[in-house]
Amino acid sequence: MGECILQFGNIVVQGENLLLISGLLISYVMFYYGIKVLKIERNIMDLIFNSFINGVLIWKFSYVVLHPNSVLQNPMTILYFNGGYVGISMAIVFITVYTWLYVKKQNIPVVSYTRAMVPAYFGYFSTFAWIRVMENSQNYFIILQAIAAICFFIVASRVKAQKTLLQLLIWFHLIQFELALYKKYFVNTGIVSKEVWLYGSLVIVFICISYWLERREREEVLEERNKGRGRTANQLALGVMVVSIAVSSIFNSQHEVGKVKSKSVLSTSLDSGKIGTNKGEIALDFELRSITGDNIQLSDLRGKTVILNFWATWCPPCRAEMPEMQKFYENNKDSNVEILAVNLTNSERGSNAVSDFVEAKGITFKVVLDEQGDIGNLYGAITIPTSYIIDKNGVIRNKYIGPMSYETMDRMISGIQ
């Protein structure tokens, strides 16, 4: 799910692996922060630490459950891919069940758990949000999300009342919901719709939890006079969400009316007219021979969204990526999407090795041979696989170093179509 990349020479740490490493590190930080600063009992911090670590591992290795055939054919895919949004759902279910059973078994007060969990949650969110800022420092909506997470983390660290902490969760996700709506209607990216559903669902979930806990508390203390008061903040939050949806509908109508205009403006701003290999430039044209003997020119693919991929048969992540690309191509070739895989043939044993690999993997998209390595050098394909996302006007919209999963390709392509 992330696309942030850190590169040290030829070593690349990217996407989900960077999130995995960051998640493990922040878990240790939050563990000691909870014990030393918040003065939380160790067994509660153990619960949060263990549930999150196991949840991250379930998310990462859920790919095995979801794509067993791919793993059997190439076990290395486990290192490069994860279960995507389905894997996240599996992790959330595990964390919920594990936490519930542990709290009941250890007789941990819900108030004490909430006191520890909410700051830790904002701490995790802050870390992942700033990773996304590293990925795209020009996206002001992502920066606002990260700033909001930091602010809520600071406030939650100073609050002890369960009711207030739950209200912080509700308001935080309402803010994220609003930002996701604005991204959808003004930035015009396809991925954001999933964020809208995610944050909207979380708002409803935390409102329900807050209502249930307050009702349970009222029943325990038998304070009839307090009935209804505890619902005020939640009702207000629900009202804000309803207003947000209404406002977003208005923006949606305006967006639909001016959709063609907004897309053309976006394309014009990106297309500087300059030819090169950087984002926003018109992709440098070239012509290479395909494995079938035909000459294919990049500019001939104008009018289609193109994934320009540099790879080699001896490259493990390239081998893991190819089945994902083939599946994506089969599902999207009728939607003006093309994949042009440039094999760095100068690093191969020969062109026969490429043909044998393509046949064995059942690859049907275009594969061309860079026999001298000139095109790979022009596009700076030092680390492979390296992919460029090129829009219908021939403008480079993104560059991705490392293996791309089906979800990654879908996210990048839907963001520019």
Side-chain angles (χ1 to χ4, degrees):
M1 323 220 358
E3 297 164 16
C4 179
I5 296 172
L6 293 181
Q7 185 168 358
F8 308 93
N10 289 332
I11 301 176
V12 177
V13 181
Q14 67 170 106
E16 62 270 8
N17 291 327
L18 183 58
L19 290 176
L20 180 63
I21 295 170
S22 301
L24 296 175
L25 291 176
I26 192 62
S27 293
Y28 281 101
V29 172
M30 293 308 305
F31 179 81
Y32 289 103
Y33 179 81
I35 292 176
K36 302 295 185 180
V37 179
L38 301 180
K39 307 298 181 183
I40 303 297
E41 293 84 350
R42 188 181 183 91
N43 64 331
I44 297 178
M45 293 311 301
D46 282 335
L47 166 60
I48 295 174
F49 178 84
N50 293 331
S51 61
F52 183 80
I53 292 296
N54 289 318
V56 168
L57 293 176
I58 288 173
W59 162 70
K60 175 62 179 174
F61 294 104
S62 59
Y63 186 85
V64 179
V65 178
L66 300 173
H67 306 281
N69 293 332
S70 297
V71 176
L72 288 175
Q73 293 175 6
N74 187 0
M76 293 293 287
T77 54
I78 300 175
L79 298 177
Y80 308 118
F81 305 129
N82 59 65
Y85 284 96
V86 177
I88 292 175
S89 301
M90 293 170 63
I92 291 175
V93 171
F94 166 81
I95 291 174
T96 303
V97 174
Y98 177 81
T99 299
W100 177 258
L101 294 176
Y102 192 95
V103 166
K104 290 188 66 177
K105 182 178 179 180
Q106 298 293 327
N107 292 320
I108 296 175
V110 176
V111 174
S112 299
Y113 176 75
T114 305
R115 171 76 182 96
M117 182 275 294
V118 176
Y121 177 84
F122 288 135
Y124 286 126
F125 198 103
S126 300
T127 301
F128 298 143
W130 283 107
I131 288 176
R132 295 184 66 195
V133 171
M134 290 166 55
E135 171 195 344
N136 189 354
S137 59
Q138 301 301 315
N139 191 319
Y140 297 111
F141 293 104
I142 295 177
I143 295 175
L144 287 174
Q145 285 182 316
I147 293 174
I150 289 289
C151 293
F152 274 83
F153 169 71
I154 294 172
V155 173
S157 297
R158 297 176 176 272
V159 173
K160 296 184 178 180
Q162 175 181 272
K163 177 180 177 180
T164 305
L165 288 169
L166 290 171
Q167 289 174 353
L168 284 175
L169 284 173
I170 294 171
W171 282 108
F172 174 74
H173 289 97
L174 271 173
I175 291 174
Q176 300 300 328
F177 179 80
E178 288 284 346
L179 290 173
L181 284 175
Y182 281 120
K183 281 196 292 184
K184 177 177 176 59
Y185 297 125
F186 293 108
V187 179
N188 192 29
T189 58
I191 182 177
V192 183
S193 60
K194 296 180 180 178
E195 289 190 63
V196 172
W197 279 106
L198 173 64
Y199 294 127
S201 300
L202 287 174
V203 167
I204 295 173
V205 167
F206 285 121
I207 286 177
C208 292
I209 292 175
S210 179
Y211 174 78
W212 175 73
L213 288 174
E214 288 186 17
R215 181 178 178 182
R216 176 179 161 184
E217 182 180 352
R218 287 198 304 270
E219 291 175 351
E220 289 178 352
V221 297
L222 297 177
E223 292 181 350
E224 190 69 25
R225 57 189 175 87
N226 289 332
K227 280 187 176 181
R229 293 182 182 177
R231 302 180 189 177
T232 303
N234 293 334
Q235 290 174 341
L236 179 60
L238 275 173
V240 172
M241 186 172 68
V242 171
V243 171
S244 300
I245 295 173
V247 172
S248 68
S249 299
I250 297 174
F251 283 129
N252 188 34
S253 299
Q254 296 175 347
H255 175 69
E256 292 298 328
V257 171
K259 182 180 290 185
V260 176
K261 181 179 179 180
S262 65
K263 284 192 174 183
S264 62
V265 170
L266 180 62
S267 177
T268 303
S269 63
L270 283 173
D271 186 352
S272 62
K274 182 179 178 181
I275 297 175
T277 60
N278 297 316
K279 184 177 179 180
E281 297 177 342
I282 298 175
L284 190 67
D285 197 18
F286 61 85
E287 183 176 344
L288 290 173
R289 181 174 60 87
S290 72
I291 57 174
T292 59
D294 302 321
N295 288 333
I296 296 178
Q297 194 166 352
L298 178 61
S299 58
D300 290 341
L301 302 178
R302 291 282 178 87
K304 294 184 178 181
T305 303
V306 179
I307 298 177
L308 176 62
N309 175 257
F310 292 88
W311 70 289
T313 62
W314 49 263
C315 162
C318 300
R319 298 173 69 90
E321 178 184 54
M322 281 297 164
E324 297 283 307
M325 282 194 163
Q326 177 60 31
K327 182 166 60 174
F328 182 79
Y329 176 71
E330 290 175 356
N331 292 337
N332 293 275
K333 61 184 179 181
D334 295 330
S335 302
N336 275 337
V337 174
E338 188 64 73
I339 296 177
L340 181 59
V342 178
N343 176 263
L344 303 182
T345 317
N346 62 316
S347 66
E348 301 277 7
R349 296 192 304 265
S351 58
N352 289 337
V354 183
S355 301
D356 292 342
F357 179 87
V358 169
E359 183 178 355
K361 295 295 183 181
I363 296 171
T364 58
F365 51 80
K366 293 178 172 59
V367 178
V368 294
L369 306 173
D370 186 10
E371 296 178 318
Q372 304 301 320
D374 295 336
I375 306 304
N377 290 334
L378 284 174
Y379 274 84
I382 300 173
T383 301
I384 55 174
T386 293
S387 299
Y388 289 83
I389 311 300
I390 303 172
D391 69 14
K392 297 175 182 179
N393 298 316
V395 178
I396 296 174
R397 301 293 296 273
N398 218 326
K399 178 182 179 180
Y400 192 94
I401 301 175
M404 292 198 296
S405 65
Y406 186 101
E407 289 78 12
T408 300
M409 287 179 275
D410 184 58
R411 187 161 61 242
M412 287 190 167
I413 296 299
S414 64
I416 65 174
Q417 286 189 321

